[in-house]
Amino acid sequence: MMDGKTLVLRGRVVSGVGSFSFWIGQLQDHYERKTGMRLYPGTLNLQLESEYSLPAKVIRLEASEYGGRVSVSIVPCSIQGRKAFLLRTDANENGTGDHPKTIIEIATDVRLRDLFRLQDGDYLEVAIAPEWAAYGTSEP
């Protein structure tokens, strides 16, 4: 949903597979350099009603930067007014990863489930600012 300025994605909290928990912990310095924030090692997964494709403008953590095999796109966003980042692997964006494009993963400096007392099935909105929302899509 676009209000002319901010892209708002609404999704239902779902459990993930735990991959980002491990990799954020292992690559903390790289994520901090890219985001300016020391991320909690894990993401909050939201199941959207329709697919979300990343915008053309993203922050990139390339596999070659850390000697790995997985590259990640990072999109600044906010969740209930808190600065956060949408993270998506290239495989997930291309439809060949662990998650379909209806799943978004949100990272910030705290465990969001604890901060907002979230459980699977709760609904939450993620706001993506206009400068990052351009060209991203959430298909109806």
Side-chain angles (χ1 to χ4, degrees):
M1 165 187 200
M2 239 2 222
D3 68 8
K5 295 182 180 181
T6 301
L7 175 65
V8 177
L9 303 173
R10 186 171 191 266
R12 185 174 43 86
V13 175
V14 294
S15 293
V17 295
S19 297
F20 267 126
S21 294
F22 176 79
W23 288 111
I24 290 172
Q26 292 294 310
L27 303 174
Q28 187 60 254
D29 292 343
H30 293 281
Y31 279 106
E32 188 170 2
R33 184 171 37 84
K34 295 292 181 174
T35 65
M37 179 184 287
R38 191 149 186 90
L39 299 178
Y40 172 83
T43 59
L44 179 70
N45 291 12
L46 296 178
Q47 170 80 52
L48 307 175
E49 289 185 15
S50 56
E51 290 187 348
Y52 172 72
S53 295
L54 293 173
K57 179 181 175 183
V58 296
I59 299 166
R60 294 284 297 168
L61 175 56
E62 300 292 349
S64 60
E65 293 180 61
Y66 67 91
R69 298 180 320 214
V70 176
S71 295
V72 177
S73 291
I74 304 167
V75 180
C77 62
S78 65
I79 188 161
Q80 294 198 358
R82 183 177 201 92
K83 183 178 178 181
F85 299 90
L86 187 154
L87 306 179
R88 185 175 280 168
T89 65
D90 288 354
N92 285 345
E93 180 65 12
N94 297 331
T96 59
D98 294 329
H99 295 303
K101 290 174 74 170
T102 54
I103 297 285
I104 58 172
E105 298 187 68
I106 307 301
T108 190
D109 58 343
V110 297
R111 186 171 190 263
L112 290 166
R113 279 183 181 261
D114 292 344
L115 179 67
F116 298 128
R117 295 186 176 97
L118 298 169
Q119 298 178 11
D120 282 0
D122 291 345
Y123 281 88
L124 210 53
E125 291 183 345
V126 174
I128 300 175
E131 62 270 22
W132 294 97
Y135 310 109
T137 60
S138 181
E139 301 299 327

PDB file of all heavy atoms in Angstrom, residues 20-40:
ATOM      1  N   PHE A  20      19.220 -16.411   9.335  1.00  0.00           N
ATOM      2  CA  PHE A  20      19.765 -15.080   9.613  1.00  0.00           C
ATOM      3  C   PHE A  20      20.280 -14.978  11.045  1.00  0.00           C
ATOM      4  O   PHE A  20      21.203 -14.217  11.312  1.00  0.00           O
ATOM      5  CB  PHE A  20      18.750 -13.978   9.318  1.00  0.00           C
ATOM      6  CG  PHE A  20      18.861 -13.409   7.930  1.00  0.00           C
ATOM      7  CD1 PHE A  20      17.764 -13.378   7.097  1.00  0.00           C
ATOM      8  CD2 PHE A  20      20.060 -12.899   7.452  1.00  0.00           C
ATOM      9  CE1 PHE A  20      17.849 -12.853   5.818  1.00  0.00           C
ATOM     10  CE2 PHE A  20      20.169 -12.369   6.182  1.00  0.00           C
ATOM     11  CZ  PHE A  20      19.057 -12.347   5.362  1.00  0.00           C
ATOM     12  N   SER A  21      19.718 -15.727  11.976  1.00  0.00           N
ATOM     13  CA  SER A  21      20.234 -15.711  13.352  1.00  0.00           C
ATOM     14  C   SER A  21      21.718 -16.046  13.349  1.00  0.00           C
ATOM     15  O   SER A  21      22.538 -15.354  13.950  1.00  0.00           O
ATOM     16  CB  SER A  21      19.504 -16.735  14.229  1.00  0.00           C
ATOM     17  OG  SER A  21      18.182 -16.392  14.390  1.00  0.00           O
ATOM     18  N   PHE A  22      22.047 -17.118  12.666  1.00  0.00           N
ATOM     19  CA  PHE A  22      23.438 -17.559  12.593  1.00  0.00           C
ATOM     20  C   PHE A  22      24.295 -16.551  11.847  1.00  0.00           C
ATOM     21  O   PHE A  22      25.344 -16.140  12.335  1.00  0.00           O
ATOM     22  CB  PHE A  22      23.511 -18.934  11.905  1.00  0.00           C
ATOM     23  CG  PHE A  22      24.922 -19.411  11.700  1.00  0.00           C
ATOM     24  CD1 PHE A  22      25.631 -19.965  12.758  1.00  0.00           C
ATOM     25  CD2 PHE A  22      25.547 -19.293  10.473  1.00  0.00           C
ATOM     26  CE1 PHE A  22      26.941 -20.394  12.580  1.00  0.00           C
ATOM     27  CE2 PHE A  22      26.853 -19.714  10.289  1.00  0.00           C
ATOM     28  CZ  PHE A  22      27.548 -20.263  11.343  1.00  0.00           C
ATOM     29  N   TRP A  23      23.849 -16.143  10.652  1.00  0.00           N
ATOM     30  CA  TRP A  23      24.689 -15.304   9.798  1.00  0.00           C
ATOM     31  C   TRP A  23      24.855 -13.874  10.299  1.00  0.00           C
ATOM     32  O   TRP A  23      25.917 -13.285  10.147  1.00  0.00           O
ATOM     33  CB  TRP A  23      24.198 -15.345   8.356  1.00  0.00           C
ATOM     34  CG  TRP A  23      24.522 -16.673   7.756  1.00  0.00           C
ATOM     35  CD1 TRP A  23      23.650 -17.668   7.408  1.00  0.00           C
ATOM     36  CD2 TRP A  23      25.832 -17.191   7.510  1.00  0.00           C
ATOM     37  NE1 TRP A  23      24.339 -18.760   6.952  1.00  0.00           N
ATOM     38  CE2 TRP A  23      25.687 -18.496   6.996  1.00  0.00           C
ATOM     39  CE3 TRP A  23      27.119 -16.692   7.668  1.00  0.00           C
ATOM     40  CZ2 TRP A  23      26.768 -19.291   6.645  1.00  0.00           C
ATOM     41  CZ3 TRP A  23      28.198 -17.480   7.311  1.00  0.00           C
ATOM     42  CH2 TRP A  23      28.016 -18.755   6.808  1.00  0.00           C
ATOM     43  N   ILE A  24      23.829 -13.311  10.916  1.00  0.00           N
ATOM     44  CA  ILE A  24      24.013 -11.968  11.492  1.00  0.00           C
ATOM     45  C   ILE A  24      25.052 -12.044  12.603  1.00  0.00           C
ATOM     46  O   ILE A  24      25.917 -11.186  12.716  1.00  0.00           O
ATOM     47  CB  ILE A  24      22.680 -11.375  11.992  1.00  0.00           C
ATOM     48  CG1 ILE A  24      21.777 -11.037  10.809  1.00  0.00           C
ATOM     49  CG2 ILE A  24      22.941 -10.130  12.855  1.00  0.00           C
ATOM     50  CD1 ILE A  24      20.362 -10.616  11.204  1.00  0.00           C
ATOM     51  N   GLY A  25      24.994 -13.093  13.414  1.00  0.00           N
ATOM     52  CA  GLY A  25      25.988 -13.278  14.470  1.00  0.00           C
ATOM     53  C   GLY A  25      27.388 -13.430  13.918  1.00  0.00           C
ATOM     54  O   GLY A  25      28.342 -12.826  14.419  1.00  0.00           O
ATOM     55  N   GLN A  26      27.533 -14.218  12.872  1.00  0.00           N
ATOM     56  CA  GLN A  26      28.846 -14.463  12.261  1.00  0.00           C
ATOM     57  C   GLN A  26      29.393 -13.236  11.536  1.00  0.00           C
ATOM     58  O   GLN A  26      30.603 -13.030  11.500  1.00  0.00           O
ATOM     59  CB  GLN A  26      28.754 -15.618  11.249  1.00  0.00           C
ATOM     60  CG  GLN A  26      28.499 -16.965  11.874  1.00  0.00           C
ATOM     61  CD  GLN A  26      29.666 -17.411  12.724  1.00  0.00           C
ATOM     62  OE1 GLN A  26      30.807 -17.401  12.305  1.00  0.00           O
ATOM     63  NE2 GLN A  26      29.367 -17.789  13.958  1.00  0.00           N
ATOM     64  N   LEU A  27      28.507 -12.445  10.939  1.00  0.00           N
ATOM     65  CA  LEU A  27      28.925 -11.316  10.085  1.00  0.00           C
ATOM     66  C   LEU A  27      28.547  -9.970  10.697  1.00  0.00           C
ATOM     67  O   LEU A  27      28.351  -8.986   9.980  1.00  0.00           O
ATOM     68  CB  LEU A  27      28.279 -11.466   8.699  1.00  0.00           C
ATOM     69  CG  LEU A  27      28.574 -12.770   7.975  1.00  0.00           C
ATOM     70  CD1 LEU A  27      27.762 -12.867   6.701  1.00  0.00           C
ATOM     71  CD2 LEU A  27      30.069 -12.909   7.693  1.00  0.00           C
ATOM     72  N   GLN A  28      28.490  -9.914  12.021  1.00  0.00           N
ATOM     73  CA  GLN A  28      28.034  -8.727  12.724  1.00  0.00           C
ATOM     74  C   GLN A  28      28.759  -7.460  12.267  1.00  0.00           C
ATOM     75  O   GLN A  28      28.134  -6.425  12.039  1.00  0.00           O
ATOM     76  CB  GLN A  28      28.204  -8.925  14.234  1.00  0.00           C
ATOM     77  CG  GLN A  28      27.625  -7.837  15.084  1.00  0.00           C
ATOM     78  CD  GLN A  28      26.136  -7.645  14.919  1.00  0.00           C
ATOM     79  OE1 GLN A  28      25.712  -6.678  14.293  1.00  0.00           O
ATOM     80  NE2 GLN A  28      25.352  -8.537  15.464  1.00  0.00           N
ATOM     81  N   ASP A  29      30.079  -7.520  12.128  1.00  0.00           N
ATOM     82  CA  ASP A  29      30.843  -6.338  11.723  1.00  0.00           C
ATOM     83  C   ASP A  29      30.447  -5.866  10.334  1.00  0.00           C
ATOM     84  O   ASP A  29      30.361  -4.663  10.069  1.00  0.00           O
ATOM     85  CB  ASP A  29      32.346  -6.602  11.784  1.00  0.00           C
ATOM     86  CG  ASP A  29      32.844  -6.783  13.213  1.00  0.00           C
ATOM     87  OD1 ASP A  29      32.120  -6.396  14.156  1.00  0.00           O
ATOM     88  OD2 ASP A  29      33.944  -7.338  13.387  1.00  0.00           O
ATOM     89  N   HIS A  30      30.197  -6.796   9.429  1.00  0.00           N
ATOM     90  CA  HIS A  30      29.794  -6.438   8.061  1.00  0.00           C
ATOM     91  C   HIS A  30      28.412  -5.777   8.061  1.00  0.00           C
ATOM     92  O   HIS A  30      28.207  -4.754   7.401  1.00  0.00           O
ATOM     93  CB  HIS A  30      29.771  -7.676   7.161  1.00  0.00           C
ATOM     94  CG  HIS A  30      31.123  -8.261   6.934  1.00  0.00           C
ATOM     95  ND1 HIS A  30      32.024  -7.731   6.039  1.00  0.00           N
ATOM     96  CD2 HIS A  30      31.739  -9.330   7.504  1.00  0.00           C
ATOM     97  CE1 HIS A  30      33.137  -8.451   6.064  1.00  0.00           C
ATOM     98  NE2 HIS A  30      32.984  -9.423   6.939  1.00  0.00           N
ATOM     99  N   TYR A  31      27.470  -6.357   8.803  1.00  0.00           N
ATOM    100  CA  TYR A  31      26.128  -5.764   8.876  1.00  0.00           C
ATOM    101  C   TYR A  31      26.165  -4.395   9.546  1.00  0.00           C
ATOM    102  O   TYR A  31      25.489  -3.471   9.120  1.00  0.00           O
ATOM    103  CB  TYR A  31      25.147  -6.691   9.603  1.00  0.00           C
ATOM    104  CG  TYR A  31      24.604  -7.776   8.712  1.00  0.00           C
ATOM    105  CD1 TYR A  31      25.034  -9.086   8.833  1.00  0.00           C
ATOM    106  CD2 TYR A  31      23.662  -7.484   7.724  1.00  0.00           C
ATOM    107  CE1 TYR A  31      24.537 -10.086   7.995  1.00  0.00           C
ATOM    108  CE2 TYR A  31      23.164  -8.467   6.891  1.00  0.00           C
ATOM    109  CZ  TYR A  31      23.600  -9.768   7.030  1.00  0.00           C
ATOM    110  OH  TYR A  31      23.113 -10.740   6.200  1.00  0.00           O
ATOM    111  N   GLU A  32      26.992  -4.262  10.582  1.00  0.00           N
ATOM    112  CA  GLU A  32      27.092  -2.967  11.260  1.00  0.00           C
ATOM    113  C   GLU A  32      27.686  -1.911  10.331  1.00  0.00           C
ATOM    114  O   GLU A  32      27.232  -0.767  10.310  1.00  0.00           O
ATOM    115  CB  GLU A  32      27.926  -3.100  12.535  1.00  0.00           C
ATOM    116  CG  GLU A  32      27.917  -1.842  13.374  1.00  0.00           C
ATOM    117  CD  GLU A  32      28.542  -2.022  14.752  1.00  0.00           C
ATOM    118  OE1 GLU A  32      29.029  -3.134  15.064  1.00  0.00           O
ATOM    119  OE2 GLU A  32      28.555  -1.038  15.506  1.00  0.00           O
ATOM    120  N   ARG A  33      28.668  -2.296   9.545  1.00  0.00           N
ATOM    121  CA  ARG A  33      29.270  -1.360   8.584  1.00  0.00           C
ATOM    122  C   ARG A  33      28.242  -0.917   7.537  1.00  0.00           C
ATOM    123  O   ARG A  33      28.190   0.245   7.154  1.00  0.00           O
ATOM    124  CB  ARG A  33      30.472  -2.032   7.909  1.00  0.00           C
ATOM    125  CG  ARG A  33      31.238  -1.151   6.961  1.00  0.00           C
ATOM    126  CD  ARG A  33      32.549  -1.780   6.491  1.00  0.00           C
ATOM    127  NE  ARG A  33      32.506  -3.213   6.264  1.00  0.00           N
ATOM    128  CZ  ARG A  33      32.085  -3.805   5.130  1.00  0.00           C
ATOM    129  NH1 ARG A  33      31.665  -3.064   4.135  1.00  0.00           N
ATOM    130  NH2 ARG A  33      32.104  -5.110   5.003  1.00  0.00           N
ATOM    131  N   LYS A  34      27.387  -1.823   7.120  1.00  0.00           N
ATOM    132  CA  LYS A  34      26.388  -1.518   6.083  1.00  0.00           C
ATOM    133  C   LYS A  34      25.208  -0.713   6.625  1.00  0.00           C
ATOM    134  O   LYS A  34      24.653   0.131   5.930  1.00  0.00           O
ATOM    135  CB  LYS A  34      25.847  -2.809   5.455  1.00  0.00           C
ATOM    136  CG  LYS A  34      26.874  -3.603   4.683  1.00  0.00           C
ATOM    137  CD  LYS A  34      27.309  -2.873   3.439  1.00  0.00           C
ATOM    138  CE  LYS A  34      28.320  -3.687   2.662  1.00  0.00           C
ATOM    139  NZ  LYS A  34      28.647  -3.072   1.379  1.00  0.00           N
ATOM    140  N   THR A  35      24.792  -0.999   7.863  1.00  0.00           N
ATOM    141  CA  THR A  35      23.570  -0.393   8.399  1.00  0.00           C
ATOM    142  C   THR A  35      23.824   0.722   9.416  1.00  0.00           C
ATOM    143  O   THR A  35      22.926   1.507   9.702  1.00  0.00           O
ATOM    144  CB  THR A  35      22.703  -1.458   9.096  1.00  0.00           C
ATOM    145  OG1 THR A  35      23.407  -1.954  10.243  1.00  0.00           O
ATOM    146  CG2 THR A  35      22.347  -2.596   8.149  1.00  0.00           C
ATOM    147  N   GLY A  36      25.020   0.742  10.002  1.00  0.00           N
ATOM    148  CA  GLY A  36      25.291   1.696  11.073  1.00  0.00           C
ATOM    149  C   GLY A  36      24.692   1.259  12.395  1.00  0.00           C
ATOM    150  O   GLY A  36      24.673   2.017  13.363  1.00  0.00           O
ATOM    151  N   MET A  37      24.203   0.020  12.444  1.00  0.00           N
ATOM    152  CA  MET A  37      23.545  -0.488  13.641  1.00  0.00           C
ATOM    153  C   MET A  37      24.069  -1.894  13.940  1.00  0.00           C
ATOM    154  O   MET A  37      24.278  -2.687  13.032  1.00  0.00           O
ATOM    155  CB  MET A  37      22.024  -0.559  13.397  1.00  0.00           C
ATOM    156  CG  MET A  37      21.231  -1.103  14.563  1.00  0.00           C
ATOM    157  SD  MET A  37      19.457  -1.273  14.155  1.00  0.00           S
ATOM    158  CE  MET A  37      18.936   0.436  14.155  1.00  0.00           C
ATOM    159  N   ARG A  38      24.276  -2.162  15.216  1.00  0.00           N
ATOM    160  CA  ARG A  38      24.646  -3.518  15.635  1.00  0.00           C
ATOM    161  C   ARG A  38      23.359  -4.325  15.731  1.00  0.00           C
ATOM    162  O   ARG A  38      22.556  -4.111  16.638  1.00  0.00           O
ATOM    163  CB  ARG A  38      25.392  -3.478  16.961  1.00  0.00           C
ATOM    164  CG  ARG A  38      26.034  -4.803  17.302  1.00  0.00           C
ATOM    165  CD  ARG A  38      27.305  -4.579  18.113  1.00  0.00           C
ATOM    166  NE  ARG A  38      27.983  -5.846  18.308  1.00  0.00           N
ATOM    167  CZ  ARG A  38      28.897  -6.346  17.483  1.00  0.00           C
ATOM    168  NH1 ARG A  38      29.237  -5.670  16.409  1.00  0.00           N
ATOM    169  NH2 ARG A  38      29.469  -7.502  17.723  1.00  0.00           N
ATOM    170  N   LEU A  39      23.140  -5.219  14.792  1.00  0.00           N
ATOM    171  CA  LEU A  39      21.873  -5.941  14.699  1.00  0.00           C
ATOM    172  C   LEU A  39      21.782  -7.093  15.691  1.00  0.00           C
ATOM    173  O   LEU A  39      22.766  -7.794  15.933  1.00  0.00           O
ATOM    174  CB  LEU A  39      21.689  -6.505  13.283  1.00  0.00           C
ATOM    175  CG  LEU A  39      21.649  -5.494  12.142  1.00  0.00           C
ATOM    176  CD1 LEU A  39      21.511  -6.211  10.805  1.00  0.00           C
ATOM    177  CD2 LEU A  39      20.511  -4.494  12.335  1.00  0.00           C
ATOM    178  N   TYR A  40      20.579  -7.281  16.226  1.00  0.00           N
ATOM    179  CA  TYR A  40      20.299  -8.467  17.018  1.00  0.00           C
ATOM    180  C   TYR A  40      20.424  -9.665  16.080  1.00  0.00           C
ATOM    181  O   TYR A  40      19.958  -9.603  14.934  1.00  0.00           O
ATOM    182  CB  TYR A  40      18.876  -8.378  17.598  1.00  0.00           C
ATOM    183  CG  TYR A  40      18.450  -9.653  18.258  1.00  0.00           C
ATOM    184  CD1 TYR A  40      18.818  -9.932  19.567  1.00  0.00           C
ATOM    185  CD2 TYR A  40      17.697 -10.599  17.573  1.00  0.00           C
ATOM    186  CE1 TYR A  40      18.442 -11.121  20.175  1.00  0.00           C
ATOM    187  CE2 TYR A  40      17.312 -11.783  18.169  1.00  0.00           C
ATOM    188  CZ  TYR A  40      17.700 -12.038  19.467  1.00  0.00           C
ATOM    189  OH  TYR A  40      17.331 -13.219  20.059  1.00  0.00           O
TER     190      TYR A  40
END
